[in-house]
Amino acid sequence: MAVHSVSALTQYIKSMFQAEDMLHHVSVEGELSNYKMYASGHCYFTLKDETASLKCVMFKSRARLLRFQPENGMKIVAAGEISVYERDGAYQLYAERLLPAGAGELSIAFEQLKARLGAEGLFDAAHKKGLPSFPRTIGVVTSLSGAVLRDIYRVSKRRDPKIRLVLYPALVQGEGAAAEIASAIRFFNEKYPVDLLIVGRGGGSMEDLWAFNEEPIVRAIYDSAIPVISAVGHETDTTLADYVSDVRAATPSQAAEIAVPEAAVQSRRIAEYEARLHKAVQSRLAYERERTARLSAAFLKRQPQALLAARRQRLDAASEALFQGMRRIFLEKRHAFRVAAEKLEMLSPLHVIGRGYSIVEKSGRTVRSMKELTVGDEVLVRLSDGGFDAVVRHVQEGGL
C-alpha cells in the first residue's frame, strides 16, 4: 500500500471537488452564525441546520456589494463554489452572493438602515422645517429627461406663472445616483440658495428607487438648511428620503402643488384682506369722529370759568405746598449752619487765647515744643488783645 504525504492527499481530494460540476455553482440555505468581517474586508461565517454546519468565506470584492448587514441567526441562502482549504484540510463554501431566505435582500437592507438612522433621530418630527409661505425660487433635483421635470414645471407655472424653478440634473437610478443627488442638495445649500427644494423621480421597482434609500441622500436631506419636499415614485412607494424630508409628496405633481401657492387664490385673499382692513379703518374713523363730537359738545356746554376753577385751586395748593417746602428746607439749612459755626468757634485758636492762653511764634511759625527754642531766640507772644516781642533768656524743659 502506497504512503502519501498530507499535501498530496489534500491536493487529490481538492481535485475531486473541482471535478464535480455541481460544486462549482451551488446554493446552500442555513442559519448564519459566527459571522465576522475582518479589517481586510473579508467575511467569515458558518451556515448550519439541525444536524450539520458548513464553513464559509466571502472575500472583500463580493462582500462590499452586500446591500444588507448579515446578522447571526438570519436564514441565509449562500451561493458560490465548494472547495478545499488546504492549510486546514477542510472544505468550505467560497460565497459569491448572500441573500436573506424568504424576505428580499432590499427589504432587509431597507429595514436595517431605517432602524439605524431612526435610532440616531434623523426621522424625528422635531427636526422637520416648515415650508415657506411664498417661495419665489424653487430648486429641483431630478433627471433631465422624463416626465417628472415636465410635471413639476407644468403644475408650478399653472399655479404661479412668476415662480422661478432652478434645475440641478442628476442621476436618479443606478450606480452613482445617490452621490449625485446628495451633491446637488449640498450645492443648493452652499452655493445657490433657494427658498425650497423638491427632490424626486418617477415610479418604479424597489430596485429602481433604491438610490433614495441610500445613506448619503438621507444625511444630505437631514443636514439641509433649506426645506426639502421628497417626491419619489407613486403614492404607494416609500423611501427613506420620504422619512427624513420635511414634507413627503405622493407624486412630483403633488410636490409642485404643495410648494407653490396658487397665485389667483392669493390675489383673492389679498383683496379680501384689503377690503376688511378698509372697512375696519372706516369704522374706527367714524367712531373717533363721533367721540370727538360728543366731547366737543360737552366742553362747549360748560362755562370757561368753571373749567378753570378746579385748575386754579390745584395751582394754589401746589404753590402753597412749594412755599412751605422751601421754607422748611431754609430753616433746616440755617440751623445746620449755626451748629457748624459754633463748632468752628470752639476750635478757633482765638477762643483758646481768650481763656488766658498765649501763642508763641518764632520766625513766623508757631512754637509747639521747648526743643524748638534756645537761649537768645527772639519770639513773638500773641495774646487775645495784642502781642509783644520777647527774648528767651532761660529754657526749662518739662511739663507744667
Side-chain angles (χ1 to χ4, degrees):
M1 181 176 64
V3 177
H4 304 281
S5 68
V6 175
S7 297
L9 182 59
T10 303
Q11 282 286 349
Y12 177 77
I13 296 173
K14 182 175 182 178
S15 67
M16 292 175 59
F17 276 84
Q18 292 173 340
E20 181 59 56
D21 290 338
M22 187 199 79
L23 298 181
H24 291 176
H25 304 284
V26 63
S27 296
V28 183
E29 179 177 344
E31 179 182 325
L32 185 68
S33 65
N34 300 323
Y35 178 84
K36 185 174 183 180
M37 175 181 283
Y38 286 84
S40 62
H42 305 324
C43 301
Y44 295 87
F45 55 95
T46 301
L47 284 182
K48 63 181 182 179
D49 57 21
E50 294 80 0
T51 59
S53 63
L54 173 64
K55 291 187 178 297
C56 308
V57 59
M58 174 177 268
F59 294 124
K60 178 181 178 180
S61 59
R62 294 294 180 178
R64 65 184 181 84
L65 301 178
L66 289 174
R67 284 176 167 166
F68 72 103
Q69 176 60 42
E71 296 176 355
N72 291 328
M74 279 184 172
K75 286 288 187 179
I76 293 293
V77 175
E81 176 185 10
I82 299 288
S83 187
V84 174
Y85 183 40
E86 297 177 44
R87 192 198 72 176
D88 293 348
Y91 73 92
Q92 60 185 14
L93 173 66
Y94 293 84
E96 299 288 327
R97 291 189 64 196
L98 285 183
L99 296 173
E105 178 185 19
L106 295 182
S107 297
I108 294 291
F110 178 89
E111 293 301 331
Q112 286 180 338
L113 186 56
K114 178 184 173 185
R116 179 164 62 83
L117 298 180
E120 293 183 33
L122 270 66
F123 306 142
D124 292 352
H127 299 300
K128 305 293 184 183
K129 296 176 287 294
L131 303 184
S133 299
F134 302 100
R136 303 313 308 156
T137 305
I138 297 176
V140 181
V141 180
T142 190
S143 173
L144 185 60
S145 60
V148 171
L149 182 59
R150 292 195 299 271
D151 290 345
I152 292 175
Y153 181 86
R154 174 178 52 81
V155 175
S156 298
K157 290 297 183 179
R158 171 173 56 79
R159 293 177 68 83
D160 184 358
K162 295 181 180 180
I163 196 69
R164 183 166 177 258
L165 300 177
V166 180
L167 172 67
Y168 190 113
L171 290 174
V172 294
Q173 180 177 335
E175 187 175 355
E180 281 197 19
I181 296 169
S183 177
I185 295 171
R186 289 192 295 271
F187 171 81
F188 281 114
N189 275 271
E190 297 170 2
K191 298 182 179 179
Y192 200 100
V194 293
D195 300 316
L196 183 64
L197 283 176
I198 297 176
V199 179
R201 58 152 290 155
S205 65
M206 193 172 191
E207 179 79 26
D208 295 336
L209 305 179
W210 188 252
F212 292 87
N213 289 320
E214 294 192 37
E215 189 169 348
I217 289 184
V218 177
R219 293 198 179 276
I221 294 176
Y222 178 79
D223 293 335
S224 174
I226 304 171
V228 177
I229 299 177
S230 64
V232 182
H234 301 305
E235 187 170 359
T236 55
D237 298 321
T238 304
T239 65
L240 295 182
D242 296 324
Y243 284 100
V244 74
S245 62
D246 300 297
V247 174
R248 185 240 177 184
T251 63
S253 296
Q254 187 188 59
E257 291 179 355
I258 294 172
V260 183
E262 195 167 359
V265 174
Q266 298 302 321
S267 298
R268 287 196 298 271
R269 287 180 179 173
I270 292 172
E272 291 174 2
Y273 293 150
E274 286 180 345
R276 289 166 59 183
L277 180 60
H278 180 73
K279 183 177 179 180
V281 170
Q282 293 301 318
S283 176
R284 185 57 184 261
L285 286 175
Y287 169 77
E288 294 297 340
R289 288 193 187 101
E290 181 182 354
R291 180 171 176 268
T292 303
R294 288 198 310 269
L295 293 174
S296 298
F299 180 81
L300 292 174
K301 287 179 181 179
R302 300 179 64 183
Q303 294 295 328
Q305 294 299 325
L307 294 173
L308 295 175
R311 290 172 173 78
R312 284 187 179 131
Q313 289 179 357
R314 287 199 296 270
L315 179 60
D316 291 342
S319 299
E320 179 63 21
L322 178 62
F323 174 76
Q324 294 297 332
M326 293 296 295
R327 186 171 183 277
R328 184 178 64 255
I329 293 172
F330 173 75
L331 293 175
E332 291 174 354
K333 296 295 184 182
R334 186 172 66 177
H335 175 70
F337 175 77
R338 287 177 176 175
V339 172
E342 291 176 357
K343 290 181 178 179
L344 184 62
E345 177 66 20
M346 294 297 294
L347 297 174
S348 172
L350 296 178
H351 182 76
V352 175
I353 293 173
R355 298 205 308 267
Y357 294 92
S358 62
I359 297 175
V360 179
E361 294 181 357
K362 174 185 175 182
S363 301
R365 298 179 60 184
T366 301
V367 177
R368 298 178 181 276
S369 172
M370 291 300 297
K371 294 179 180 180
E372 299 177 18
L373 297 175
T374 58
V375 175
D377 285 344
E378 294 183 356
V379 296
L380 172 63
V381 180
R382 292 186 181 275
L383 302 174
S384 62
D385 56 351
F388 60 90
D389 293 326
V391 176
V392 178
R393 297 188 179 279
H394 177 70
V395 176
Q396 178 181 348
E397 294 185 0
L400 296 176

